[in-house]
Amino acid sequence: MLRLSINRRLNVMMETLEKIEAQLQKSMPRFEWELRKPLIEKILKLKKEKNVVVLAHNYQVPEIFYGIADVTGDSLALARESVHRQHADAILFCGVHFMAETAKLFNPEKPVLIADMQAGCSLAESITGADVRALKAKYPGVPVVTYVNSSAEVKAESDICCTSGNALAVVQSLKSDKVIFLPDGFLASYVARQTEVEIISWEGTCVVHEEFTTDQVEAYRAQYPGLKVLAHPECHPDVQSAADLVGSTAQMSNFVAEQPAGAQVALITECSMSDNLALAHPHVELVRPCSMCPHMKKITLEKIITCLETFQPQIEIPQEVAYRAKRAVERMLEITAPKKVVSLPLAATV
Ligand code: 13P
Ligand code: SF4
């Protein structure tokens, strides 16, 4: 009986690997797949043995996004998903540190693993809890809205969090004529342009998105007439103005999914986003200005294996910080409607 069930599990694993292989071969030469296949196979076995669920952000490379993740999405979807992980014994977060911290806030009793603790974020690093306390002292009574791209310590000093997908809705929900909006100055100006609320901002920037320029957008438009340009709100306001749609990674995914065959779309965001969408929607031609997030790229299959074998490193948040940070994220989840998870990678069928 036991033997049969092990055989069945192996069969399911083989079928899954074949599906992953069929998908990923389109994005890499055969020899590269042959190198990665044993690593993916090992991770699928380890996560099953140890009952680990894998959450992966849209900026993860295809072999992680399609090869091993159970749930994928933008920061908002992943924050929501991390709340419902009761059946897993541990969570492995393939993304950056602040995202894994959010998962830990909702799963304080479970190990939350990240394959590289150095996978940070320039926005999260731009501000500290002490900076927020100083702003609150300078503007007493003004509510603090903090982008989730921030440390738990900074979230703990905030009234409510937001993501790129719901920043405007969160600001407007506060019914205040003034808010402190941290730490992304460009996301703050994106919100400010759409509301009467006075926005007091911080000068944090994303090292990936600040690289893009309007010259690039114009050059693409000249080359591809009819091109649709999608930009992340972490881009410079001029780049946002030059785009047809400004939105979170999930909003960009949804836009691409709805395009007719032959449509040409430029994604002004991190490189792997285009790679993942190109595999899911081969009917759309993706024009790919590429700026790579050095933090997201710290997560590799090799490090994931070590992490699953040792159950290290794990995210830790002091209890008192965690309690207040969780409250700020919960407030955001309460005021914004649930979003569907963008895509379900093949590994989820194991
Ligand atoms: P999203 O919430 O849109 O996925 O963005 C996260 C991020 O880090 C963008 O740089
Ligand atoms: Fe942070 Fe920018 Fe990387 Fe997103 S892309 S994780 S905002 S550095």
Side-chain angles (χ1 to χ4, degrees), residues 57-59 73-76 96 98-99 121 123 147-149 163-165 206 208-209 232-234 247-252 269-270 273 293 296:
H57 185 260
N58 289 329
Y59 292 163
D74 67 350
S75 309
L76 179 56
V96 292
F98 75 80
M99 296 176 177
C121 169
L123 282 168
Y147 191 27
V148 287
N149 295 38
T163 71
S164 56
C206 162
V208 175
H209 290 91
H232 198 276
E234 290 169 9
S248 70
T249 57
Q251 288 160 341
M252 292 185 196
T269 192
E270 210 272 344
M273 178 84 194
C293 177
M296 289 279 177

Side-chain angles (χ1 to χ4, degrees), residues 213-263:
T213 64
T214 49
D215 286 351
Q216 261 176 309
V217 175
E218 279 160 25
Y220 281 126
R221 286 205 193 276
Q223 202 181 342
Y224 303 93
L227 181 72
K228 296 278 189 299
V229 177
L230 315 186
H232 198 276
E234 290 169 9
C235 293
H236 189 281
D238 292 347
V239 173
Q240 295 177 24
S241 301
D244 298 296
L245 176 124
V246 179
S248 70
T249 57
Q251 288 160 341
M252 292 185 196
S253 285
N254 292 340
F255 182 94
V256 171
E258 285 160 10
Q259 293 309 293

Side-chain angles (χ1 to χ4, degrees), residues 10-29:
L10 280 176
N11 283 343
V12 172
M13 181 85 81
M14 289 312 293
E15 282 165 23
T16 304
L17 259 181
E18 279 165 22
K19 284 189 208 162
I20 294 170
E21 180 168 2
Q23 180 81 317
L24 285 177
Q25 265 184 15
K26 294 178 225 150
S27 74
M28 62 181 75

